[in-house]
Amino acid sequence: AVVSTQSGHYGRDEKLVMEVWTDGSIFPEDALAYASKILIEHLSIFVNFEEDSSESDQDEFDENEQKLKTALLKNIEELDFSVRTLSVLKSLEIEFINQIVKK
C-alpha cells in the first residue's frame, strides 16, 4: 500500500508498505530480496548500464542460501535440545530441522 506521510519542510511524501507472507520455508526478508532480484533481472533489458555490485550481491545471496540449506538439513541431535524436547521430536518422527520448519 502507498501511504502518505508528513516529513519536514517539504510537505507530503509517500512511502510503500508491503506485507510479505511465506510458507515458512524462507524468511520474509529473503523472499522479498529474491523477488526484487528477479524483478531487477526482468527489467534490466530496459536499462543501458550494468550495476557493478550485482555479481557480489548474487554471491552473497548464494552463500546465505547455502548456509540456510545446511542448517535446515542438520539432525536434531546435533543441537542442544533438552532430553525431553528430543524425546518429543523423536516421538513425532522428526529427525531434521527442516521437518520442524515445515510443521
Side-chain angles (χ1 to χ4, degrees):
V2 176
V3 179
S4 295
T5 63
Q6 293 283 347
S7 67
H9 301 99
Y10 301 108
R12 293 172 43 149
D13 290 330
E14 296 178 333
K15 66 179 178 179
L16 178 63
V17 178
M18 298 176 69
E19 185 175 352
V20 179
W21 292 47
T22 71
D23 63 357
S25 63
I26 187 171
F27 290 107
E29 294 86 1
D30 295 336
L32 181 60
Y34 187 65
S36 300
K37 177 187 169 297
I38 292 170
L39 184 61
I40 288 169
E41 288 174 359
H42 285 294
L43 296 176
S44 67
I45 61 171
F46 300 107
V47 181
N48 293 330
F49 62 91
E50 291 189 21
E51 296 180 22
D52 295 334
S53 64
S54 64
E55 188 173 312
S56 64
D57 290 345
Q58 178 62 38
D59 292 342
E60 183 178 334
F61 180 79
D62 290 343
E63 181 180 326
N64 288 338
E65 186 177 22
Q66 186 60 40
K67 285 180 185 178
L68 177 63
K69 286 180 180 178
T70 301
L72 289 173
L73 293 175
K74 277 190 176 184
N75 191 299
I76 59 171
E77 293 181 2
E78 294 179 46
L79 301 176
D80 293 328
F81 287 131
S82 67
V83 174
R84 186 175 183 181
T85 303
L86 277 174
S87 296
V88 170
L89 291 172
K90 286 181 181 181
S91 72
L92 295 171
E93 298 181 358
I94 293 176
E95 296 180 41
F96 299 98
I97 300 301
N98 64 350
Q99 293 172 303
I100 298 172
V101 174
K102 288 179 183 176
K103 293 188 181 237

